[in-house]
Amino acid sequence: DGIISNAQELYDGMGSLNGSHFSNYPPFNQLCFAIASLFGGKSILGGVIGLRVLIIMADLGILYVGMKLLGLLKLPIHNIFWYFLNPFIIIELTGNLHFEGVMLFFFLFGMYFLQREKLIWAALLFGISISVKLIPLLLLPVLIQSLWKNHRTYLHNFFRIGFFYLGILMLVLLSFLPFLNAEVLSNYLATTALWFQNFEFNASIYYIVRWIGFQVVGWNVIETAGAVMPFVVLVFILCLSFFKKNQDLVSLFTALLFSICFYFLLATTVHPWYLATPLLLSIFTKYRFPIIWSLMVVVSYTAYHSFGVEENLVLVFIEYVVVLGFAVYELWFQNPKIQKSIQVSQST
């Protein structure tokens, strides 16, 4: 009785690729689905409206806390509208019901409370964010310098850091507690692994690695590359976490931005809605290449056809040439230190 009348039609519409795998949505995301279902009843339309209301509420929350953070950073308040009114965000989140916006709402609020030195609230919000989407797990190491205060003793700092990360871990584990059994855990991990070792879409560096693999060994090296690249990403993020100064908020957001961008550059799968995270982080930095990326990622839509998914690698190449070209321009030609060295060399 609890199943909607046209559930089979909805399931068939998912296609064999999605319908043949278990869900890997974390618990808080599942709770959002349950809330939407509760208010939508047995109607698909009611459920969709419920999901859309939750996502719009999260976007309004991002607008509110984003303006407060921009005020703290003394950056133009209107920068937040690069995210809030971005057609890409409206289409992919509100339109297509992806929950990156809900995850980012809790993450951004966590950043606000971290800045305000309210560690309990920050840990709570980061934990919920991870329980919506797992992506913030990658970014947690980058926060460590912001927790370290030079005016405090080493013991006090170690206690603060341990308390903060343990709080996040406990909340995430608590959210997973109702689902912790061997079968569910095995299915969850197996489905999550598909994003690293089976699925391919709109990738950049990985497609180059795949091409080299075909030339050298004669087959798709996704299983090997998908297993190695996460460790490369981890090393990069740890280097940013410990060897780059991330204590002030702008530097912290910059480190977070480059961490997530590096991950997506090495990922085997980069769906358009993934870019909501770098887009929002960029608002609090001087870099604007994620805004260009949010425009160029539209070319990935051309992969979808009535007969299935077939990418045009020429268009993918153009997408990343434009995005990386603009990123290099911002990193190189807008860097004051580099500009100064160029001026010195020209004058001599």
Side-chain angles (χ1 to χ4, degrees), residues 307-329:
F307 54 82
V309 179
E310 184 177 318
E311 288 188 275
N312 185 329
L313 294 184
V314 173
L315 292 179
V316 174
F317 176 77
I318 293 172
E319 172 192 348
Y320 283 102
V321 164
V322 172
V323 173
L324 292 175
F326 194 82
V328 169
Y329 166 75

Side-chain angles (χ1 to χ4, degrees), residues 114 119 122-123 126 143 147 159-168:
L114 186 64
L119 296 190
F126 283 130
L143 304 176
L147 295 165
F159 176 79
R160 280 166 52 85
I161 293 170
F163 174 80
F164 178 73
Y165 285 110
L166 184 61
I168 295 175

Side-chain angles (χ1 to χ4, degrees), residues 5 24 54 57 214 221 223 258 275 296 306 316 325 331 345:
S5 58
N24 71 330
L54 291 174
M57 289 173 61
F214 275 118
V221 295
E223 289 194 12
F258 281 99
L275 300 183
M296 294 302 301
S306 58
V316 174
L331 284 166
S345 62

